[in-house]
Amino acid sequence: MASSSKDNEPQPQPPTQAGGPIEDDVYFMAVALMFAKKSPDPNTKVGACIVNQEGNIVGIGYNKMPNGCEDKGLPWKRGRPKGLDKKYLYVCHAELNAIMNKTSMDVEGCTIYVTLYPCNECAKLIIQSGIKGVVYLSNKHKDYNETKAAVKLFRSAGIEPRQFLAKREVADFLASIDPFAE
Ligand SMILES: O=c1[nH]c(=O)n([C@H]2C[C@H](O)[C@@H](COP(=O)(O)O)O2)cc1CO
Ligand SMILES: [Zn+2]
């Protein structure tokens, strides 16, 4: 497709409170964090936001029980071993929900912003769906086998997850949102 002169012009960015442009990374991690807030998990709330190569959000999700199973008494208990009375066998991870909720035909070449390093099952989903970028915030489960397996899977697939370090910027951005501002 021929590019118009408009393609070369700087595109408008959502402003921060201070009036400057907000970095995409900060903006998309803030969205992932806002979705994490909706998670009913009392301990670890995870949010995920899938962004395409044009910078559009094409999927969002948070960890929750499968649709229709929310109020059926499935356990939210945590801890190991991961038995039948623990949440792990039932909960749908944020990444799974973001991919299932996607609004575009496919997510080939997209980047997923996720507030927790993906587990091995999410790594498989990410790889199979064609997502090529992973930006994560916390890596608090880095010693779990699920995380170690995810690291191996990403390495095999040529995906290099990148840790999001601009925590202060994202906190400032979220604090700058004033719904009463005219
Ligand atoms: O990739 C992930 N995505 C995701 O949504 N989760 C969710 C599943 C659980 O609800 C929660 C982890 O629980 P906890 O930290 O209490 O063990 O995070 C967990 C992972 C990996 O740990
Ligand atoms: Zn997972």
Side-chain angles (χ1 to χ4, degrees), residues 128-178:
Q128 295 301 70
S129 67
I131 291 174
K132 293 289 185 289
V134 176
V135 184
Y136 64 95
L137 185 63
S138 163
N139 199 4
K140 69 175 182 172
H141 294 329
K142 61 176 178 302
D143 296 329
Y144 290 3
N145 278 346
E146 291 90 334
T147 312
K148 290 178 182 173
V151 170
K152 282 180 172 231
L153 284 162
F154 284 137
R155 196 172 295 144
S156 309
I159 294 174
E160 291 178 20
R162 171 167 65 83
Q163 188 161 28
F164 176 87
L165 296 170
K167 287 187 183 179
R168 174 50 50 203
E169 283 87 333
V170 83
D172 288 349
F173 169 59
L174 288 168
S176 77
I177 298 170
D178 178 1

Side-chain angles (χ1 to χ4, degrees), residues 93 95 118-123:
H93 287 194
E95 301 91 320
C119 70
N120 59 317
E121 294 300 331
C122 292

